[in-house]
Amino acid sequence: MRDDRIEAKREADALDEPAREARKLAERLGLEPYPVRYWVVDHDQMNELIAYGGFQRRYPHWRWGMNYERQRKKDRHGLGKAFEIVNNDDPAHAFLQESNAAADQKAVITHVEAHADFFANNEWFGLYADRGEGGPNAAARLERNADRIASIAERADVDRDEVERLIDAVTALEDTIDQHSPVDAARSVEEPGVAADVNDGDDDPLAAIEDRIDGLDLSEEVRRDVFDDEWLEARGEGVEPEDPRPDVLAFLRDHGKRYDPESGKAVDREPWETTVIDAIREEAYYFAGQKQTKVMNEGWATYWESVMMGGEGFAGPNEFLTYADHMSRVLGSPGLNPYKLGFELWTHVERRAARRDVIDRLLRVEGVTPENFHSRIDVDRVAELLEPHPAIAGAGTATLDELADLAAEGNPRVDAEAVDRALSARSGDPNADPDPSDGDAPDVERYPWKLLTREGLAERHYVLSRPEHRGALRNVSREALAERARYLFDVDRYETVEAAIDDVDRAAGWRRMFDVRESHNDVTFIDAFLTDEFVREGNYFTYEYSRAAGEYRVASVDADDIRKKLLLRFTNFGKPTVVVMDGNFRNRGELLLGHRYNGVALDEEQAKATLKRAFELWGRPVNLATIRTEYGDGAVRRAKRRGEEPEGTEVGVRFQYDGGEVTEHDLDDDLEARIAADEVDYDTKPDDWLA
């Protein structure tokens, strides 16, 4: 009879060495990851973790069961294999599926180490993580939230259905936060106070209004007729932000109420309701970093996984085919694949930086100018000169003597101490392998990277020496060369091409990658590095639905159009941007939300459903201002006959929900102007794309 615990323990023990060596290699490559704790789990446990978003405990809610059933069916029918899941925490926790092959487990471990580096060093993750000495402490925080909400649901004076209904409302709006700010920045109170009531500090807005009325010195009759109790109540409930507020959830938390169907009015929330809102909003900020950097993060992890597994032979000879199949499945997934897009963009960043460094040096060779660059520079010869030193490229037992000679010369690419220990363990036979019984000797047969420093590894994996990039210098235009030459003032010159190449910084590409890793998110990453060259080499294009043809067609191959289309997918998590416009709309205490219209209309059915959820958190009527494009039947028919796209008319509309039915109203011109995008337009379809 199979004992699952014994099998899991055996599997975990077998992964101790790969995990330990992967961490050493990652650090040798320059990564600075959080500590990682690895767990080996079975299929069912992995499905539970995926359902819970990578954590072992979450607050009670029906959607976790729905997520679990979906993942279990995908796993059963082969629609999606889960290799691992890792969470952003210090230490990070990575869960590996015990049924994975050894090569898959190694690939996962190297992938996870790179993820942990990204978590620890990217500023967008830092918006949540930089919360004092405890760091993100995410597992403990989410577990604490689970305990709080579970205890609330179990209270005798609280209806569990009400708790779930409140969670439904908050999670429907969990992406309407200000993901560009720390979690507590948008709150109008100083402390989160997870058990505090929803009061706006010590200031009473109603008392302030009454004081102002007292100052008008009105007669009692006028005061009673004009400023009656109903008017005062509406004024006290409303709040008008000076500027549109992007953190809708924080605004609803701080100023919202609960609708009481018995009285037909908004009443103050119970303290437990504020506790639930605070907990779920905090978790939304935790997951925001992952949503904002999906392409960067997965691409970063895939890049370094490929360096470690393929480039450094972390996958053994008998495991490489399995790993190659693993990587082909990861990069070959259909649709907009963040692994593939991210991997290719990071390689593009690396190649551009390395090429710029080489060009800058070649333009400093005597007699070389942007005009004669391609006639004076033999790019094939340059490619040969950029090849790594043979002893560096083939580092291992066969090159120990050559590496020892380089170490004796003080070459910074070689770990002199490791080479010396490996030589000492060779038992005096220059052709023998190091003695594996020598605990101090590095196992250079399995881990030859231990003989090299980061400089040596950078040369060994130099991007311009890879076969697919050897021709990178051929495609540099004269305009690009002239632009680089403009910045070369009063610099030392090289007498020969050989001297210039000898001075090339083989780590320039990696250094640029690490700089980008610190400060960018997906939007800025794509905006900055999705260049014409990248689009052309990757054969990227946009496609859109043609109302005239009734089918999808290629819309554009232009880099600007493709960039805008991708930015639309990643801006605000790919969701519509909605902000608080007014908390006292029409002087009735109503909430007015504004959709930042960028040429793409809302899904109105989803918008109406979400409006109802917002009503549950505001307690009074809720409005949503947006813009839609309307097409007349005649215009569509004429466009089809002509093979053109119909001209639509943009119309402002306001949806309102007051607890009954969602109603539709015309939108004031000034509100329409406020929500329309001024400069950002993600409508990527060229006017003549069907010509």
Side-chain angles (χ1 to χ4, degrees):
M1 185 176 186
R2 182 177 183 271
D3 190 322
D4 291 340
R5 290 173 299 177
I6 293 176
E7 290 295 326
K9 180 66 167 60
R10 184 181 296 115
E11 180 76 16
D13 289 343
L15 295 176
D16 277 347
E17 181 185 349
R20 184 172 58 253
E21 296 299 336
R23 168 53 59 105
K24 292 178 181 178
L25 175 54
E27 292 175 341
R28 183 68 61 94
L29 290 167
L31 303 180
E32 298 175 337
Y34 280 142
V36 180
R37 293 178 181 172
Y38 290 95
W39 306 78
V40 177
V41 297
D42 60 27
H43 276 277
D44 195 56
Q45 291 170 323
M46 180 64 79
N47 291 338
E48 288 181 12
L49 287 162
I50 293 173
Y52 276 143
F55 290 88
Q56 293 166 297
R57 290 194 57 205
R58 299 296 297 275
Y59 54 82
H61 191 244
W62 58 266
R63 67 169 171 163
W64 310 127
M66 180 187 69
N67 292 347
Y68 172 79
E69 278 300 309
R70 182 191 298 119
Q71 179 58 36
R72 186 174 67 87
K73 290 176 180 177
K74 287 173 62 178
D75 185 42
R76 174 182 293 178
H77 298 293
L79 300 177
K81 178 177 174 59
F83 290 105
E84 49 80 25
I85 189 167
V86 58
N87 57 43
N88 162 37
D89 208 350
D90 182 10
H93 294 266
F95 301 91
L96 284 60
Q97 191 155 289
E98 65 179 2
S99 60
N100 290 341
D104 290 333
Q105 300 290 40
K106 288 184 178 182
V108 164
I109 289 170
T110 55
H111 195 87
V112 163
E113 292 294 333
H115 272 315
D117 169 82
F118 197 91
F119 295 152
N121 296 285
N122 180 264
E123 291 179 1
W124 297 96
F125 280 95
L127 290 177
Y128 182 91
D130 295 340
R131 309 184 72 187
E133 295 181 0
N137 201 20
R141 291 179 187 272
L142 269 63
E143 185 171 342
R144 187 164 60 247
N145 289 341
D147 290 338
R148 283 179 176 143
I149 296 177
S151 65
I152 289 171
E154 293 169 0
R155 282 168 43 180
D157 61 330
V158 175
D159 185 343
R160 185 184 181 92
D161 289 341
E162 290 295 322
V163 177
E164 291 226 353
R165 188 156 43 247
L166 178 60
I167 294 174
D168 289 342
V170 179
T171 53
L173 295 160
E174 64 184 352
D175 285 335
T176 59
I177 59 175
D178 183 5
Q179 68 266 31
H180 303 109
S181 302
V183 60
D184 297 324
R187 292 289 313 286
S188 64
V189 290
E190 292 184 2
E191 296 295 332
V194 293
D197 204 345
V198 62
N199 293 322
D200 299 330
D202 297 328
D203 296 333
D204 185 346
L206 190 59
I209 293 174
E210 290 179 328
D211 289 342
R212 292 176 62 188
I213 294 173
D214 290 340
L216 297 176
D217 196 22
L218 302 173
S219 69
E220 189 64 29
E221 182 181 2
V222 172
R223 176 168 178 159
R224 185 177 58 253
D225 291 343
V226 178
F227 302 107
D228 57 15
D229 291 343
E230 185 177 352
W231 186 93
L232 282 170
E233 185 177 352
R235 303 291 85 64
E237 291 176 348
V239 58
E240 301 180 50
E242 294 181 3
D243 299 307
R245 291 273 295 274
D247 195 332
V248 177
L249 205 50
F251 192 87
L252 291 170
R253 186 272 183 207
D254 292 336
H255 305 292
K257 293 179 180 290
R258 176 171 55 85
Y259 180 73
D260 180 21
E262 293 184 3
S263 64
K265 293 184 177 181
V267 298
D268 288 341
R269 293 194 190 102
E270 296 293 331
W272 68 262
E273 295 177 283
T274 303
T275 299
V276 172
I277 296 171
D278 277 335
I280 298 176
R281 177 176 171 274
E282 179 191 38
E283 294 188 11
Y285 271 90
Y286 167 79
F287 288 104
Q290 298 181 35
K291 294 177 182 179
Q292 287 178 284
T293 60
K294 181 69 173 177
V295 170
M296 286 186 71
N297 196 352
E298 295 297 353
W300 181 262
T302 303
Y303 175 90
W304 292 108
E305 174 196 331
S306 70
V307 169
M308 290 189 268
M309 288 292 290
E312 285 304 324
F314 209 71
N318 61 333
E319 299 168 335
F320 192 81
L321 284 179
T322 302
Y323 168 66
D325 177 67
H326 169 106
M327 182 62 85
S328 68
R329 280 184 285 166
V330 169
L331 296 181
S333 299
L336 182 57
N337 184 337
Y339 298 85
K340 182 176 187 293
L341 178 59
F343 176 77
E344 291 178 349
L345 275 171
W346 279 117
T347 304
H348 185 60
V349 170
E350 178 189 22
R351 187 179 68 172
R352 288 182 72 199
R355 184 172 59 189
R356 183 183 300 117
D357 178 64
V358 171
I359 288 173
D360 285 352
R361 300 186 192 283
L362 291 176
L363 286 173
R364 291 159 58 184
V365 174
E366 292 291 350
V368 174
T369 67
E371 290 74 21
N372 66 18
F373 182 90
H374 287 293
S375 61
R376 293 289 301 272
I377 299 297
D378 183 349
V379 293
D380 291 328
R381 173 58 178 159
V382 169
E384 292 176 5
L385 294 172
L386 289 173
E387 289 290 329
H389 188 287
I392 300 294
T397 55
T399 62
L400 275 178
D401 292 321
E402 294 176 79
L403 291 172
D405 292 339
L406 292 175
E409 298 170 2
N411 194 300
R413 299 171 293 177
V414 178
D415 187 330
E417 184 178 347
V419 170
D420 185 61
R421 292 203 310 271
L423 285 171
S424 299
R426 203 163 57 178
S427 305
D429 182 355
N431 297 315
D433 291 337
D435 183 358
S437 64
D438 185 349
D440 293 331
D443 186 350
V444 297
E445 186 67 31
R446 296 173 62 197
Y447 307 118
W449 52 267
K450 294 187 176 185
L451 300 171
L452 304 176
T453 63
R454 183 171 187 266
E455 290 82 356
L457 291 171
E459 178 174 330
R460 182 172 162 110
H461 299 285
Y462 186 58
V463 61
L464 296 185
S465 66
R466 300 174 201 163
E468 64 269 29
H469 301 305
R470 284 175 61 93
L473 294 177
R474 296 183 188 278
N475 304 323
V476 182
S477 67
R478 180 177 296 181
E479 291 76 13
L481 293 168
E483 182 180 353
R484 296 305 306 168
R486 283 201 298 268
Y487 299 99
L488 301 177
F489 302 109
D490 299 325
V491 294
D492 295 333
R493 312 293 293 188
Y494 298 106
E495 293 185 3
T496 64
V497 169
E498 287 75 12
I501 296 303
D502 190 53
D503 214 18
V504 164
D505 179 8
R506 299 303 204 285
W510 284 0
R511 189 172 297 109
R512 178 59 175 152
M513 290 173 65
F514 278 85
D515 289 343
V516 171
R517 174 261 267 148
E518 290 185 4
S519 58
H520 282 263
N521 60 30
D522 283 346
V523 171
T524 60
F525 187 57
I526 290 170
D527 189 45
F529 301 110
L530 196 137
T531 63
D532 291 349
E533 180 185 19
F534 179 84
V535 168
R536 184 175 60 255
E537 293 182 351
N539 295 317
Y540 283 88
F541 59 89
T542 69
Y543 64 92
E544 293 182 354
Y545 183 76
S546 166
R547 290 179 178 269
E551 63 182 9
Y552 286 94
R553 292 187 176 182
V554 172
S556 176
V557 295
D558 183 76
D560 288 339
D561 293 338
I562 294 165
R563 187 183 306 110
K564 288 177 182 178
K565 179 72 78 173
L566 286 171
L567 291 177
L568 175 62
R569 292 289 299 267
F570 296 108
T571 298
N572 197 49
F573 315 133
K575 306 287 182 65
T577 300
V578 177
V579 297
V580 176
M581 306 290 291
D582 194 344
N584 189 24
F585 182 56
R586 301 190 298 175
N587 283 331
R588 297 179 181 178
E590 298 182 9
L591 177 67
L592 175 63
L593 302 175
H595 166 223
R596 293 294 200 190
Y597 179 73
N598 56 9
V600 179
L602 291 175
D603 181 323
E604 293 187 4
E605 291 306 312
Q606 288 194 27
K608 292 174 182 178
T610 306
L611 206 59
K612 296 178 181 179
R613 297 300 190 186
F615 174 81
E616 296 183 35
L617 299 176
W618 185 248
R620 290 146 286 177
V622 180
N623 299 266
L624 174 63
T626 187
I627 296 173
R628 68 156 71 109
T629 302
E630 297 180 349
Y631 299 90
D633 292 339
V636 174
R637 287 195 298 270
R638 288 191 298 272
K640 284 186 175 181
R641 287 198 302 267
R642 298 170 182 170
E644 300 174 349
E645 284 298 282
E647 289 291 335
T649 303
E650 292 185 345
V651 178
V653 62
R654 173 173 60 86
F655 297 107
Q656 183 188 50
Y657 182 71
D658 59 4
E661 296 293 329
V662 177
T663 56
E664 183 177 317
H665 310 270
D666 293 335
L667 186 63
D668 295 339
D669 291 341
D670 60 332
L671 282 176
E672 184 174 343
R674 288 176 65 190
I675 64 174
D678 295 327
E679 298 178 355
V680 180
D681 183 4
Y682 293 124
D683 186 4
T684 64
K685 182 174 57 189
D687 294 336
D688 57 347
W689 70 280
L690 284 177

